[in-house]
Amino acid sequence: MKAEEKTLDKRYEPGDVEKRWVDRWFELGLTRAKTGSDKPPFCMVIPPPNITGALHVGHALNSTLQDILARYKRMKGFNVLWLPGIDHAGIATQNVVEKELAREGLDRHALGRSLFVKRVWAWKEKYGDTILNQLKRLGASCDWTRLRFTMDEGLSKAVREVFVRLYSEGLIYRGDYIINWCPRCHTALSDLEVQFEETEGSLWYMRYPLKEPAGGLTHLTVATTRPETMLGDTAVAVNPADERYTEAIGSKVVLPFVDREIPVIGDESVQMEFGTGALKITPAHDFNDFDVSARHGLPALKVMDLSARMNEEAGVFAGLDRYEARKKVVEGLEGLGLLEKVEPYKVMLGECYRCSTVVEPTLSKQWFVRVKPLAAPATEAVREGRTRFVPKAWENTYFDWMLNIRDWCISRQIWWGHRIPAWHCLDCHHITVSTADPTECEKCASSRIEQDTDVLDTWFSSALWPFSTLGWPERTEDLETFYPTMVLSTSFDIIFFWVARMVMMGLKFMGEVPFRDVYIHALIRDAQGQKMSKSRGNVIDPLVMMDRFGTDAFRFTLTALAAQGRDIRLDEERVEGYRNFCNKLWNLARFTLMNLGAGYAEEVDPALYNSADRWILTRLSVCTEEASKAIEAYNFDDAARALYRFVWHELCDWYVELSKKDLRGENGGERRTVAAHVLSGVLNDTLKLLHPFIPFITEEIYSYLPGSGESIMEESWPEPGERFTEEAGAMENVMEVIRAVRNIRTEMNVPASARLECLCFSKDREMRQGVALGVDYIKVLAGVEEVAVKESGEKPGDAVSALAGSRAGGRVLEVFVPLGAHVDFDVESKRLKKNLDKVMDEKASLEKKLSNDGFLKKAPEEVVAKEREKLRALEEKREKLSSGLERIKGLGEVKG
RNA sequence: GGGCGGUUAACUCAGCGGUAGAGUGUCACCUUCACACGGUGGAAGUCACAGGUUCGAAUCCUGUACCGCCCACCA
């Protein structure tokens, strides 16, 4: 891969380079974690993407940030294990395969369970690694040899072990409860799998006649958003404190259509102000009603089947879909004169997170995890800081949820997933729960046993991810070495689904938190701030971005935008900007390589460094420290920005320009050698610093550098080097002069051909000396032919056509440009006037401040001193400006 | 109904007690031997609004407005 004589293209073309390095890293085994390493361990588990998934920007961001950590820690000398994996994604995958079957005119019932499951496995073999390849393409430096799948053998074992242990401790139970039912997927859903959508609905006021008049009432009017559920009503509830209905409590109403007599009960949960203050109770189809009925020992009556069609209990409505039934019920009531009124009303409708079908709360026999006993230690762990959220604000979200947590419905009526390890005895109905498949009932020894048909919620296996992937329940070396993991990086929307449950399970089964830090990254929106969604058509496809701008550019964009606690608005233009940055880096490398040539030396005596060398080395040292600190604090955006600024605005804009003469050999062979050495050294370190962010281009460039190893991944992370503060400061002053002269040049329309002489004044001796050292640089970079550095107060003599004041290190530095050039007096005097006005303003406010007793007394001394110094400087500046203005006026008149 | 976050240059965002910063865009000039995916220079902001704390507030506190998210069983 070395290309001694190869000349690099002017533009960096990412395509081939990226492919080549993905393969190369794998060949070299550089991303593999070592067993029995004496390096300190650093482990992260990847949030396993769904096998049905394709890489979206969220994955791209999260994986990029984790990759930065992994690469950084590796270079820092850690034994890094970034463990990859994929999730079997129960319902999602089943849906995909069912759709495939539908295209063939089949359905899963036609196939039968075992064939269907085989079919899903086949699908997984074929398409399951799509997203993994996309992650590889993104540069994710996972240990791909340790890839895990939530349904592989080891993990399935862990799932059974956990289920059995929780069951035997009474933390898993089976029972009839009201759950969220998806009538399309035909399965129960956990609370979290239901998404609420505000929908325009109606509030129907319906009259239920009282069996016998009570307290002057002949009927009760109830308000409901779901008239069809009245068929399953088993009571009407009113608030016992509601005087309107006091006498009705204890009496009965007759339910229309079905002529069922149901009691009127008193329950404090009823809001008197809402509707009529009378609430119909449908225990089998409403969460709240279920609770009320439980308090009063009421029966529950299901009136819908698994597809949300009305069942035989619904009498004449049987067989109708719930919405048709709603229409018919309303019409029927109207016919009976029992519909009092209808009001428009906004309802929050629960929808299935997979298929958006409106969920039907249904009474059903399901398996549950009793979470309260698990939640308590999980809350405690975060409170004690054993697990830390970054940004910390998310801890409150976590606590809130833990506090109000409800039992977790873990059974799903689908076929794809971990089947529940419970066997029902057909003779004695005992349930045998076991890690190994039993052959007989553990109670009556009957061999007539059947395994429960339900599978577990996908998140059940995900909850074990941090230890199941490391080999648990075996006590493997990986488990010993890498648990607890160091960081979990994920998005806020799965704090409940996943993070909280991992903490609970980790504490329960490992006795230790699963990770030290939880980094919650930003949510990516489109350029308009809209959430990306297929229906909006505003999805930015990471693969397209990577094709068009290169993976590095895309990664760098995501990183630079990843400020903590804030959403990201992703705009293509940003990616383009960072693509340009990559190109800039590429050309910096080209320039460096072009200049290494014969004079290049590996070692150079530091005593030979000049001011520019020492300046850039100092800046590099500062940048190194900034980047390291920022990564450690998860401020990836700060790190990216610091590096961007350093590369472009310090290294390229200044050092490269400052060193050009040296590199051309115009200042002798020694200078040439030293400059080449410094430039290539700085580039080398810069590449290392950038590598975690933009791995491909840095590897590629690194491979061309003399003395480079097989991969930049094996290099150590740079430590901040020696800083030459004073000399770097002097260099900054020189740069200030250069900028000032350039400024004058442009603003005064000084033609390139004009001879420019420059006079620099300062009272400060050190500054004068510093600038004097940079005279050569000023000449070259500002295009000035003569430079003189004088003590302030000396007469500028005849060189009075113009001047510019500029601040440098809090002191005023002046640059006089002599006659000889064409000078536009009009423009110049305007500029001076403007500057003067600005200075006067600043001065006025400073004077006010300094005449303020409070300020003088309370502000720290150094602040006051600083302000005094500033005022003095301003005063000087003002004098120069006004005298300059006077002189220009005079000249203008003479000339005119 | 609770809770959280946002409001800074045309756009996207940093800054979070000492009178404003970046990138993109824009304007002018530059086909200079790393790069026009480039260079140099410029213009551009009462830091949402109103009060308060402070010698001093974009920055802290209290309200208001508008945007966005999360949670919640008023049917």
Side-chain angles (χ1 to χ4, degrees):
Chain A
M1 207 160 294
K2 287 267 186 303
E4 295 81 13
E5 299 305 319
K6 190 181 172 189
T7 44
L8 303 179
D9 291 338
K10 269 187 170 181
R11 285 198 186 177
Y12 171 62
E13 298 295 345
D16 298 341
V17 174
E18 294 177 5
K19 274 191 208 83
R20 195 148 35 79
W21 281 105
V22 167
D23 294 341
R24 189 79 183 126
W25 290 328
F26 190 76
E27 273 167 40
L28 295 171
L30 293 174
T31 63
R32 291 186 61 173
K34 314 284 180 296
T35 32
S37 163
D38 46 10
K39 289 179 178 176
F42 180 90
C43 180
M44 295 182 290
V45 289
I46 204 168
N50 291 353
I51 49 175
T52 54
L55 192 78
H56 60 62
V57 282
H59 294 128
L61 170 67
N62 196 209
S63 305
T64 298
L65 299 181
Q66 287 173 82
D67 194 46
I68 290 169
L69 285 172
R71 289 176 188 271
Y72 168 75
K73 289 289 179 181
R74 230 174 256 126
M75 293 174 83
K76 271 277 197 183
F78 286 83
N79 179 23
V80 172
L81 170 55
W82 183 18
L83 199 149
I86 40 175
D87 194 287
H88 66 278
I91 301 179
T93 311
Q94 175 154 329
N95 283 352
V96 169
V97 177
E98 280 189 287
K99 266 184 203 149
E100 203 179 76
L101 286 177
R103 278 196 294 274
E104 300 165 23
L106 288 166
D107 66 40
R108 68 178 158 121
H109 300 286
L111 246 64
R113 182 163 189 153
S114 83
L115 275 180
F116 178 76
V117 170
K118 267 187 193 148
R119 176 87 189 229
V120 183
W121 275 105
W123 186 92
K124 188 244 170 194
E125 288 313 312
K126 202 164 165 194
Y127 301 107
D129 55 359
T130 306
I131 193 159
L132 295 175
N133 291 329
Q134 292 169 337
L135 281 172
K136 284 177 191 167
R137 201 187 142 193
L138 188 71
S141 62
C142 299
D143 182 347
W144 296 105
T145 64
R146 281 179 166 85
L147 178 74
R148 301 305 299 263
F149 176 50
T150 47
M151 276 182 49
D152 67 26
E153 207 188 320
L155 267 69
S156 300
K157 204 170 156 191
V159 164
R160 277 204 176 187
E161 182 74 23
V162 165
F163 187 95
V164 171
R165 273 162 66 171
L166 290 176
Y167 182 78
S168 66
E169 288 180 45
L171 290 172
I172 283 183
Y173 63 92
R174 187 166 184 254
D176 281 301
Y177 289 93
I178 187 154
I179 44 91
N180 299 291
W181 181 265
C182 175
R184 204 221 56 91
C185 301
H186 280 202
T187 182
L189 300 170
S190 74
D191 297 342
L192 292 173
E193 288 167 318
V194 176
Q195 266 153 14
F196 287 91
E197 208 62 56
E198 193 177 80
T199 318
E200 295 295 337
S202 304
L203 195 56
W204 283 273
Y205 288 75
M206 320 190 300
R207 281 184 189 156
Y208 289 176
L210 277 158
K211 192 184 173 197
E212 286 155 11
L217 297 166
T218 57
H219 65 264
L220 291 181
T221 304
V222 296
T224 182
T225 55
R226 305 199 52 200
E228 73 280 10
T229 62
M230 58 132 340
L231 300 163
D233 284 1
T234 56
V236 171
V238 296
N239 195 306
D242 194 335
E243 288 168 11
R244 291 173 295 177
Y245 302 118
T246 320
E247 293 183 47
I249 297 176
S251 59
K252 298 198 167 195
V253 294
V254 182
L255 219 46
F257 308 123
V258 288
D259 288 333
R260 194 162 65 241
E261 291 177 15
I262 57 172
V264 179
I265 58 169
D267 193 281
E268 274 151 17
S269 72
V270 179
Q271 307 285 311
M272 291 186 267
E273 312 77 39
F274 189 88
T276 61
L279 171 65
K280 64 192 272 308
I281 300 296
T282 323
H285 295 283
D286 185 282
F287 281 88
N288 184 45
D289 295 1
F290 179 81
D291 290 345
V292 174
S293 78
R295 280 198 288 274
H296 296 270
L298 295 168
L301 183 66
K302 276 170 78 166
V303 291
M304 285 178 230
D305 65 13
L306 300 181
S307 301
R309 302 181 86 84
M310 307 313 286
N311 64 17
E312 63 282 1
E313 294 290 346
V316 295
F317 303 101
L320 292 178
D321 172 79
R322 54 186 162 168
Y323 299 113
E324 296 165 25
R326 178 177 301 173
K327 232 172 100 188
K328 296 283 188 215
V329 165
V330 171
E331 282 169 16
L333 287 170
E334 214 164 3
L336 294 170
L338 295 175
L339 186 67
E340 203 167 286
K341 60 173 173 174
V342 186
E343 287 173 352
Y345 189 72
K346 284 198 181 95
V347 264
M348 295 296 276
L349 271 189
E351 295 177 352
C352 172
Y353 80 122
R354 291 301 335 164
C355 70
S356 297
T357 304
V358 174
V359 160
E360 186 60 48
T362 308
L363 199 60
S364 174
K365 187 159 279 197
Q366 301 288 344
W367 293 87
F368 295 87
V369 174
R370 208 182 298 283
V371 279
K372 287 256 189 240
L374 298 170
T379 305
E380 203 49 32
V382 174
R383 232 179 258 294
E384 285 169 4
R386 282 184 283 142
T387 287
R388 221 163 48 104
F389 278 76
V390 181
K392 204 172 164 52
W394 291 109
E395 287 181 4
N396 283 328
T397 309
Y398 174 89
F399 290 141
D400 258 19
W401 189 69
M402 285 297 201
L403 195 68
N404 302 312
I405 201 162
R406 293 164 53 135
D407 282 358
W408 175 16
C409 175
I410 49 170
S411 45
R412 296 290 180 276
Q413 288 65 48
I414 56 173
W415 290 348
W416 176 242
H418 297 281
R419 198 154 167 186
I420 289 178
W423 284 260
H424 302 273
C425 177
L426 300 180
D427 291 325
C428 76
H429 302 295
H430 176 77
I431 297 173
T432 305
V433 168
S434 159
T435 50
D437 292 10
T439 52
E440 55 177 44
C441 171
E442 65 184 354
K443 195 173 172 196
C444 73
S446 161
S447 58
R448 293 180 11 131
I449 53 170
E450 278 177 6
Q451 187 171 6
D452 198 291
T453 53
D454 290 355
V455 300
L456 288 165
D457 179 5
T458 302
W459 294 103
F460 192 88
S461 51
S462 315
L464 322 179
W465 190 247
F467 52 91
S468 64
T469 50
L470 293 171
W472 189 91
E474 313 302 327
R475 289 178 55 106
T476 59
E477 196 178 333
D478 273 0
L479 193 63
E480 293 290 321
T481 311
F482 294 113
Y483 193 95
T485 69
M486 288 298 161
V487 189
L488 180 88
S489 174
T490 191
S491 138
F492 74 89
D493 51 352
I494 54 175
I495 291 180
F496 305 143
F497 274 111
W498 195 43
V499 179
R501 288 166 180 168
M502 281 192 285
V503 179
M504 292 193 265
M505 293 299 189
L507 286 166
K508 176 75 186 165
F509 291 97
M510 293 296 297
E512 177 57 287
V513 293
F515 23 72
R516 299 284 174 221
D517 290 350
V518 179
Y519 173 73
I520 302 292
H521 70 243
L523 186 79
I524 303 188
R525 302 167 174 285
D526 73 4
Q528 278 71 246
Q530 300 276 101
K531 216 170 177 170
M532 287 185 194
S533 73
K534 280 184 200 139
S535 56
R536 283 203 186 87
N538 62 348
V539 176
I540 293 180
D541 184 347
L543 300 167
V544 172
M545 292 294 108
M546 284 150 72
D547 280 340
R548 204 175 311 158
F549 301 109
T551 301
D552 289 322
F554 183 57
R555 285 173 58 122
F556 205 80
T557 309
L558 294 174
T559 310
L561 292 174
Q564 278 183 18
R566 197 171 175 144
D567 291 348
I568 295 176
R569 292 193 188 199
L570 187 60
D571 193 338
E572 262 188 50
E573 284 182 21
R574 290 298 286 254
V575 189
E576 199 180 329
Y578 290 115
R579 189 267 322 262
N580 296 353
F581 172 69
C582 290
N583 196 243
K584 189 76 178 175
L585 181 68
W586 181 252
N587 276 289
L588 168 67
R590 278 183 70 212
F591 176 80
T592 306
L593 289 166
M594 279 176 198
N595 286 290
L596 284 187
Y600 177 75
E602 194 98 353
E603 296 288 329
V604 156
D605 181 359
L608 296 173
Y609 293 158
N610 71 5
S611 307
D613 299 334
R614 294 203 171 105
W615 173 77
I616 195 65
L617 290 168
T618 305
R619 296 309 305 161
L620 173 66
S621 167
V622 170
C623 177
T624 303
E625 190 184 329
E626 280 174 2
S628 310
K629 277 189 177 156
I631 295 174
E632 298 278 358
Y634 304 104
N635 293 128
F636 301 104
D637 56 325
D638 286 346
R641 269 196 298 268
L643 286 161
Y644 182 99
R645 197 194 43 235
F646 174 74
V647 170
W648 203 314
H649 299 304
E650 293 177 335
L651 186 51
C652 291
D653 285 355
W654 287 103
Y655 185 74
V656 164
E657 297 304 325
L658 293 169
S659 64
K660 270 180 179 169
K661 251 182 114 176
D662 287 348
L663 291 168
R664 272 189 240 116
E666 289 173 32
N667 296 326
E670 186 176 87
R671 269 279 80 224
R672 194 189 152 170
T673 307
V674 175
H677 171 81
V678 171
L679 179 61
S680 68
V682 172
L683 174 65
N684 206 289
D685 268 14
T686 304
L687 290 172
K688 291 180 206 164
L689 294 173
L690 280 168
H691 178 255
F693 302 85
I694 45 176
F696 297 105
I697 188 173
T698 48
E699 269 289 21
E700 185 68 6
I701 295 173
Y702 172 84
S703 75
Y704 296 115
L705 294 184
S708 61
E710 277 199 295
S711 164
I712 195 170
M713 284 176 73
E714 294 178 298
E715 295 281 347
S716 301
W717 184 257
E719 291 298 321
E722 191 182 348
R723 293 184 193 172
F724 310 89
T725 317
E726 226 173 87
E727 218 169 334
M731 202 63 215
E732 300 277 356
N733 288 329
V734 171
M735 286 154 64
E736 199 63 46
V737 174
I738 292 168
R739 270 192 283 260
V741 177
R742 283 171 173 173
N743 177 320
I744 288 170
R745 193 186 255 295
T746 309
E747 293 222 339
M748 292 177 64
N749 295 324
V750 179
S753 58
R755 175 187 166 81
L756 277 188
E757 290 175 10
C758 165
L759 221 48
C760 306
F761 281 79
S762 174
K763 272 192 175 151
D764 189 290
R765 199 168 142 259
E766 276 178 35
M767 185 190 283
R768 287 200 308 275
Q769 285 176 343
V771 171
L773 285 173
V775 160
D776 215 36
Y777 291 132
I778 296 172
K779 283 184 180 172
V780 175
L781 297 193
V784 174
E785 290 180 44
E786 291 297 330
V787 179
V789 185
K790 308 253 159 147
E791 189 176 345
S792 182
E794 268 185 53
K795 277 218 145 192
D798 298 326
V800 289
S801 73
L803 89 169
S806 71
R807 268 172 300 165
R811 292 161 293 194
V812 173
L813 196 67
E814 297 156 0
V815 181
F816 290 77
V817 179
L819 280 167
H822 165 77
V823 174
D824 184 332
F825 291 102
D826 207 36
V827 169
E828 179 57 7
S829 75
K830 268 187 201 149
R831 193 176 70 80
L832 288 178
K833 260 185 209 147
K834 208 170 134 196
N835 278 348
L836 188 60
D837 286 350
K838 211 166 143 191
V839 167
M840 293 300 275
D841 279 358
E842 269 181 52
K843 224 187 113 199
S845 71
L846 252 182
E847 269 166 353
K848 200 174 143 198
K849 193 176 192 176
L850 283 167
S851 63
N852 182 328
D853 281 346
F855 174 69
L856 296 174
K857 274 181 203 152
K858 299 208 179 176
E861 266 181 53
E862 63 269 23
V863 172
V864 177
K866 223 170 99 189
E867 299 294 359
R868 285 225 165 89
E869 173 62 24
K870 235 194 226 168
L871 183 66
R872 227 203 60 232
L874 279 172
E875 173 54 28
E876 269 182 39
K877 198 166 168 183
R878 189 200 61 78
E879 266 176 40
K880 299 289 187 229
L881 282 168
S882 49
S883 69
L885 201 55
E886 285 304 307
R887 281 182 295 233
I888 275 192
K889 268 185 192 159
L891 276 169
E893 276 159 24
V894 171
K895 282 223 163 183

